[in-house]
Amino acid sequence: MNFDVVAVSMEAPTLGRAAYDNTMEALKALEMDGQLDGLKMNGTVMVKPNFTQPPNPSLKYGPRESDLTVHNHVCTDPFSILAACDFISAHGGRPFIAEGTKWPGGARGVFLQMGCESLLEGSGVEVFDTTTRSEDERACIFPSKIWNPDFSTIEVNKIYGEIDLIVNVAKLKSHSNALITGAVKNLYGALEPWQRRAEGHYCADPLWASISRKNMARGYKLLCETFVQVHDAIIRSFGLDEVCIVEGIISGEGDGPLFQPARPRQEYVVLASVNSPATIDAAESYYAGFSPEYLANEALYRLSHLNFTPDEELLESYSTQYFLKLSSEAGMGKIKDFKVYAITSQASEAIPCEALGLLRRGEAFELPTFVRYAANTPLYERIPDGEAEFKVEATV
């Protein structure tokens, strides 16, 4: 078949069944294509989900009543995690789940609230909280390329030096200050101590406070540089292979990554690739409708309301998502002109990456607010009316 990304989009009687079957089908497709050959699937394998925020309605920007399910638009579906663990175990591997979060209860709290404990009971799969309490628990590593000198040195839990393989199970959703979050950004949760993750946002979060266009774009630039450097440092420093999965059975659109004001979309899709997190994130973007052409047209439209016409360089900075550009430069895969193997209930066939939107159930995903304010460019000094402020309103 010789493809870069597999996209599985098949419905099932239940959401859990869809998450499990589509994840398993994606992994089997990678195996049949020979992409898992040589990977230490029979070793100690870290399964890294996205446990951004537990489905706890008492939390700020927590779930609406309709979001109170393990099949939500914020956290990796537990049935997708189960499928990854079962696949690893079937190949003689020793899977464990690893995450670090500072929400109440930590990683284990989200693990419990997402139903993972009961689902994995008897499997021997345990959860490991990567949050550290002292320097002795951390390893100091370095990215191969540095765009943001504030994060030229990275610290992570030493557990990353004790594994043979990462299965990165990210969530398909848009993001209020990074546009999308997928496989590349999912390892940002490994950054320690946890305060460094907050520092990497540079106070550029329009969900929590008003911010100017210019400062938002500056924060966008620095955050993208930071999470690309974190991902690069982990994979290269520890010499790890990475199976990337982006689970989007219930996807998130608008101002994610939290429950509100983002909105869920029932999409039934799972993407997967090997050692190419930039490519799978580019596939996620095409699937959501955020192609370079779409983002360029959006920028032209928004800037026209400011009586401003961008030159070619500035327009390109809007059309190509900055983190995708950097991660591709860091060797994380192609972001254009890659091949997709699409598996649906009707057919299984190779399609160009630009056609991924044909699998989508509906119109393009809703864009985050900062994109509608033309703040999604690293060239923040060149934004017109840069001092104009905006804030995301978390209305339900």
Side-chain angles (χ1 to χ4, degrees):
M1 288 179 281
N2 190 24
F3 56 85
D4 299 295
V5 175
V6 58
V8 183
S9 180
M10 294 190 291
E11 296 187 14
T14 66
L15 294 173
R17 188 79 258 170
Y20 186 94
D21 289 352
N22 288 1
T23 301
M24 189 64 75
E25 188 69 27
L27 289 168
K28 288 178 179 178
L30 294 176
E31 183 173 38
M32 288 180 62
D33 200 43
Q35 296 191 35
L36 302 184
D37 295 352
L39 272 59
K40 297 178 181 177
M41 194 66 70
N42 62 346
T44 301
V45 183
M46 175 188 286
V47 177
K48 169 63 174 72
N50 185 329
F51 283 165
T52 302
Q53 184 188 41
N56 182 340
S58 69
L59 299 175
K60 188 170 185 179
Y61 306 124
R64 311 165 185 87
E65 185 176 349
S66 58
D67 298 330
L68 292 175
T69 168
V70 297
H71 310 298
N72 57 61
H73 58 293
V74 173
C75 294
T76 304
D77 194 291
F79 285 84
S80 185
I81 297 170
L82 175 64
C85 291
D86 284 352
F87 186 85
I88 295 162
S89 296
H91 288 72
R94 299 175 299 282
F96 71 98
I97 297 165
E99 177 63 301
T101 177
K102 289 307 295 180
W103 289 100
R108 181 156 186 80
V110 186
F111 182 79
L112 291 170
Q113 292 180 66
M114 283 297 296
C116 294
E117 183 176 59
S118 56
L119 194 60
L120 292 162
E121 189 174 20
S123 68
V125 177
E126 297 182 352
V127 62
F128 183 93
D129 193 331
T130 57
T131 305
T132 58
R133 296 177 295 274
S134 67
E135 288 186 13
D136 293 340
E137 298 178 343
R138 299 194 286 269
C140 186
I141 56 178
F142 307 92
S144 64
K145 290 180 177 288
I146 297 172
W147 295 276
N148 183 357
D150 292 346
F151 289 85
S152 58
T153 300
I154 306 294
E155 288 185 288
V156 297
N157 194 298
K158 287 182 178 178
I159 191 69
Y160 282 90
E162 301 172 11
I163 62 175
D164 299 305
L165 177 70
I166 291 181
V167 177
N168 180 350
V169 194
K171 187 71 176 178
L172 198 162
K173 55 185 174 178
S174 52
H175 195 283
S176 62
N177 49 349
L179 214 169
I180 67 158
T181 177
V184 177
K185 193 176 183 299
N186 197 32
L187 292 195
Y188 187 62
L191 182 62
E192 289 290 317
W194 66 267
Q195 292 90 342
R196 291 287 278 161
R197 290 174 235 158
E199 292 170 7
H201 283 77
Y202 291 89
C203 299
D205 196 333
L207 183 59
W208 299 89
S210 296
I211 190 169
S212 70
R213 274 195 179 97
K214 179 178 177 180
N215 286 340
M216 181 66 235
R218 176 179 178 273
Y220 165 74
K221 174 182 184 292
L222 293 170
L223 174 61
C224 289
E225 292 169 349
T226 302
F227 69 74
V228 170
Q229 288 175 201
V230 170
H231 196 118
D232 174 67
I234 291 171
I235 298 301
R236 290 184 180 273
S237 298
F238 297 114
L240 294 169
D241 285 310
E242 178 182 18
V243 177
C244 299
I245 299 168
V246 175
E247 177 272 308
I249 302 301
I250 302 295
S251 304
E253 66 176 347
D255 287 289
L258 306 181
F259 281 94
Q260 297 185 52
R263 296 285 184 178
R265 291 178 59 125
Q266 195 163 299
E267 291 290 335
Y268 289 105
V269 70
V270 173
L271 310 173
S273 70
V274 176
N275 290 327
S276 53
T279 308
I280 197 170
D281 285 0
E284 176 185 353
S285 297
Y286 277 113
Y287 181 89
F290 303 160
S291 67
E293 295 76 17
Y294 183 86
L295 294 176
N297 288 333
E298 178 71 19
L300 287 170
Y301 173 72
R302 299 298 172 181
L303 293 171
S304 69
H305 286 273
L306 302 173
N307 297 315
F308 182 85
T309 302
D311 60 25
E312 186 175 339
E313 179 189 28
L314 183 57
L315 186 60
E316 170 64 21
S317 75
Y318 282 105
S319 66
T320 301
Q321 292 181 63
Y322 187 49
F323 89 90
L324 288 178
K325 175 178 179 291
L326 300 185
S327 52
S328 183
E329 290 176 7
M332 298 184 200
K334 298 181 288 186
I335 59 174
K336 294 181 181 179
D337 302 322
F338 54 88
K339 299 177 183 177
V340 177
Y341 182 53
I343 302 174
T344 69
S345 56
Q346 288 77 36
S348 298
E349 58 184 334
I351 62 172
C353 57
E354 296 85 357
L356 266 166
L358 296 175
L359 303 181
R360 191 176 59 241
R361 287 163 167 77
E363 299 297 323
F365 281 35
E366 180 186 342
L367 287 162
T369 298
F370 85 106
V371 178
R372 300 200 299 273
Y373 278 83
N376 57 312
T377 170
L379 304 180
Y380 58 91
E381 295 284 3
R382 299 186 57 191
I383 291 181
D385 197 16
E387 300 307 315
E389 293 192 346
F390 67 96
K391 185 180 183 299
V392 174
E393 297 301 329
T395 54
V396 295

